[in-house]
Amino acid sequence: MTPIGSSAPVDGDSAKRGCPKIATIIFDVDDTLYDVGTGFTAHRNTDGATAFMVDKLHFHSKEEAQILRNEYFTKYHSTAKGLTMAEADGKLPPLPEGVTLPAGRENRFEPEELDEFWAQHLDFSLLGGPDPKCVEAFQIISKKMKIVGFSNGPRKYVTRVLKEIGLDYFFPTKQLFAVNDVLPYCKPDLGSFQLVLEKVDVLPEECIMVEDSMKNIRVAKSLGMKTILVVGKGRKRENRITEYLVRADDAEATKAGDIPDETDPAVDAVVEVASDVVLVLDGWGLL
């Protein structure tokens, strides 16, 4: 595993030796571009998801909704994909008496409805606004590399997050992929990665994947990408800070089985926050 700032054979000299030139960097969004300890992910995966399920899918209680959401998120790693599969499995509650679907509509759950609901109703103030260090880092990276976004969240929601943290400028529409764009796949499905790579028109060996999810890191590495794991502020092994760990653990509890592991062989470098990615790229000779 490559620590921050160390060199790796991925720069221009590598291209001269016949190795692919890495010129594309793909960022996850949630818990990667903002810190896992903000409380926003815990909010989205609990109150944000269950409020939608009670209001739009007619679950009887948030507690009932949370149980099903957690079960299907563990299987499918995306609320939108999970609810799609829950409906296919017949796990949604029946429509209340007198309630019918709009004319011409077959499915109870539509990812676009979750997208709209989250974009309008989540508490985005938890994100804390733009991080000047992160914006500066992206300004540096964008001068040398193509920046791509790849999220398991729905598009309007993802776009709202990027705007709230001041990074929307760096993710033009054609270089931003939400779960709507890759369904019926989603990360960590191999098909979702292949679809994004095809649309961006790059080879895996020409890309770096920046993620907080070990499942996604492993798939990216298996395809031939370089990988950077974002573990969260105060969570690197050498400087773990209790106040950050508690807040981050609340978020990780909603993403069972996907806690960052710095020792995994699929991890090429580790950072605490997205702004530190620029240090890794500089150490790899890419800037």
Side-chain angles (χ1 to χ4, degrees):
M1 181 172 64
T2 307
I4 287 179
S6 65
S7 61
V10 297
D11 57 8
D13 291 336
S14 300
K16 295 176 184 177
R17 294 192 294 269
C19 299
K21 169 65 175 176
I22 295 179
T24 299
I25 185 164
I26 304 175
F27 286 90
D28 173 48
V29 176
D30 291 316
D31 296 339
T32 296
L33 296 182
Y34 60 85
D35 187 60
V36 65
T38 61
F40 182 71
T41 286
H43 160 64
R44 182 188 71 250
N45 287 343
T46 54
D47 290 341
T50 58
F52 170 82
M53 294 166 72
V54 169
D55 187 45
K56 300 296 184 180
L57 299 178
H58 306 288
F59 279 76
H60 296 104
S61 68
K62 287 189 174 182
E63 292 76 17
E64 176 192 22
Q66 191 73 63
I67 291 170
L68 184 131
R69 182 264 167 203
N70 290 350
E71 175 188 350
Y72 276 81
F73 189 90
T74 300
K75 291 180 182 178
Y76 298 106
H77 320 290
S78 161
T79 299
K81 176 70 178 288
L83 291 176
T84 298
M85 299 309 298
E87 179 170 11
D89 291 345
K91 293 299 181 84
L92 301 186
L95 286 172
E97 186 175 351
V99 175
T100 59
L101 293 177
R105 178 165 161 178
E106 297 180 359
N107 297 324
R108 294 270 310 282
F109 172 70
E110 294 287 351
E112 291 74 18
E113 283 193 346
L114 176 66
D115 196 4
E116 193 69 42
F117 188 91
W118 275 359
Q120 291 186 11
H121 297 290
L122 290 182
D123 183 3
F124 291 92
S125 70
L126 292 169
L127 292 169
D131 174 3
K133 288 182 64 177
C134 196
V135 174
E136 181 182 4
F138 269 77
Q139 289 171 340
I140 295 169
I141 295 168
S142 66
K143 293 176 182 178
K144 294 289 187 177
M145 306 186 75
K146 177 187 287 187
I147 295 175
V148 175
F150 182 18
S151 172
N152 268 353
R155 178 169 282 273
K156 286 184 180 179
Y157 155 78
V158 171
T159 302
R160 173 77 187 271
V161 169
L162 292 173
K163 185 175 182 180
E164 292 286 338
I165 60 177
L167 298 179
D168 52 316
Y169 171 81
F170 302 102
F171 294 91
T173 300
K174 291 184 178 180
Q175 290 168 214
L176 178 62
F177 299 89
V179 71
N180 321 54
D181 302 308
V182 298
L183 285 172
Y185 304 113
C186 70
K187 293 185 293 183
D189 297 337
L190 188 62
S192 69
F193 284 84
Q194 292 171 331
L195 185 59
V196 169
L197 291 170
E198 180 181 336
K199 288 187 176 182
V200 178
D201 193 25
V202 292
L203 297 172
E205 297 82 10
E206 299 169 341
C207 299
I208 297 168
M209 187 77 212
V210 185
E211 265 280 359
D212 70 295
S213 162
M214 291 310 306
K215 295 171 183 176
N216 299 338
I217 284 277
R218 292 178 188 123
V219 173
K221 189 65 176 177
S222 74
L223 285 167
M225 298 186 202
K226 296 288 289 186
T227 62
I228 301 175
L229 176 66
V230 181
V231 297
K233 191 180 295 184
R235 299 190 80 200
K236 286 189 75 175
R237 283 179 297 170
E238 65 265 30
N239 56 327
R240 293 171 73 82
I241 302 173
T242 301
E243 76 171 282
Y244 293 125
L245 295 180
V246 171
R247 294 204 298 265
D249 286 347
D250 289 341
E252 297 296 355
T254 69
K255 304 182 295 181
D258 210 17
I259 296 174
D261 179 5
E262 299 176 39
T263 67
D264 194 289
V267 176
D268 290 314
V270 178
V271 298
E272 289 194 344
V273 292
S275 57
D276 287 342
V277 168
V278 73
L279 302 178
V280 176
L281 299 181
D282 189 47
W284 286 350
L286 294 172
L287 301 178

